[in-house]
């Protein structure tokens, strides 16, 4: 009799735990799916503007004036972003401080290569990382990357802001 009572108690406890696990799984899996869908960045096109407000007031705006791809002789591409940076902060902005990154789909960072100069058949020096913009001013700069066909993500201040697709 004691064995039967013990078996029924164990069965009751294990059934109760299964129900809790299922409901917890259902409750937590729903928001995760919604979060992933909400975080998919939009495809960046010329004319798009990304704005980043500061905790101390002010903001920094990145206007993408041009987005160009140049097919190189080795089958790769030179992705060139012409960016107008408007610094509405009270301090100087250094691009290296905003964690500007281009990554592939595996989130591997693509190093800046510069803009390809077809006349000299070489890349101009990569200087975007060292760009500074004084407080209250703006500046137009180009940043170039040597990439293959595929999808790339632009991250600024640790936030994946946009995606760029390279196609033939």
């Amino acid at each position: 009799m004691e064995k039967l009572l013990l078996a029924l108690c164990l069965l009751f406890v294990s059934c109760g735990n299964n129900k809790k696990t299922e409901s917890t799984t259902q409750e937590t899996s729903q928001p995760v799916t919604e979060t992933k869908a909400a975080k998919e960045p939009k495809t960046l096109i010329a004319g798009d503007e990304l704005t980043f407000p500061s905790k101390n007031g002010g903001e920094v705006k990145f206007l993408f004036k041009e987005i160009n791809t140049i097919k190189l002789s080795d089958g790769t591409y030179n992705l060139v972003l012409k960016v107008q940076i408007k610094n509405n902060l009270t301090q100087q902005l250094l691009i290296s401080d905003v964690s500007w990154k281009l990554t592939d789909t595996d989130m591997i960072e693509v190093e800046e290569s510069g803009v390809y100069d077809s006349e000299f058949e070489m890349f101009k020096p990569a200087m975007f990382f060292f760009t500074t913009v004084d407080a209250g001013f703006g500046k137009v700069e180009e940043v170039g990357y040597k990439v293959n066909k595929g999808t790339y993500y632009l991250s600024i201040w640790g936030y994946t802001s946009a995606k760029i697709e390279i196609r033939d």
Side-chain angles (χ1 to χ4, degrees):
M1 182 72 162
E2 289 177 19
K3 289 182 182 178
L4 180 61
L5 188 56
L6 182 61
L8 287 174
C9 286
L10 287 175
L11 181 63
F12 178 77
V13 169
S14 67
C15 288
N17 282 342
N18 284 345
K19 288 181 183 176
K20 285 182 183 177
T21 303
E22 288 176 19
S23 65
T24 303
T25 303
Q26 289 173 354
E27 290 173 18
T28 56
S29 67
Q30 186 68 17
V32 170
T33 304
E34 290 173 3
T35 303
K36 284 184 180 179
K39 286 190 176 185
E40 180 64 25
K42 69 176 248 160
T43 300
L44 190 66
I45 59 172
D48 281 349
E49 183 175 89
L50 301 175
T51 302
F52 297 89
S54 169
K55 295 175 188 174
N56 303 331
E59 62 190 12
V60 177
K61 293 182 180 183
F62 297 93
L63 172 63
F64 294 85
K65 297 178 83 56
E66 295 177 20
I67 301 170
N68 298 309
T69 53
I70 302 163
K71 190 164 186 175
L72 304 174
S73 60
D74 64 359
T76 62
Y77 297 84
N78 184 209
L79 169 64
V80 180
L81 307 173
K82 189 172 189 176
V83 185
Q84 177 181 305
I85 307 155
K86 180 66 172 120
N87 180 8
N88 292 318
L89 301 175
T90 58
Q91 63 206 30
Q92 184 180 56
L93 176 74
L94 179 61
I95 290 297
S96 62
D97 290 341
V98 303
S99 301
W100 177 286
K101 291 182 182 167
L102 184 74
T103 61
D104 63 14
T105 54
D106 293 327
M107 300 312 285
I108 305 298
E109 186 174 354
V110 178
E111 293 293 325
E112 179 186 2
S113 61
V115 178
Y116 188 76
D117 186 335
S118 58
E119 185 178 333
F120 294 105
E121 296 182 358
M122 61 186 297
F123 287 91
K124 295 177 187 174
M127 301 298 291
F128 185 72
F129 188 75
F130 301 107
T131 299
T132 59
V133 184
D134 289 333
F137 288 89
K139 188 179 273 189
V140 176
E141 291 288 332
E142 287 184 318
V143 58
Y145 301 93
K146 187 174 181 180
V147 295
N148 293 308
K149 285 189 285 187
T151 302
Y152 295 87
Y153 295 93
L154 179 63
S155 297
I156 302 172
W157 269 307
Y159 173 72
T160 303
S161 308
K163 71 179 178 180
I164 302 168
E165 296 183 30
I166 309 297
R167 298 186 181 141
D168 280 331

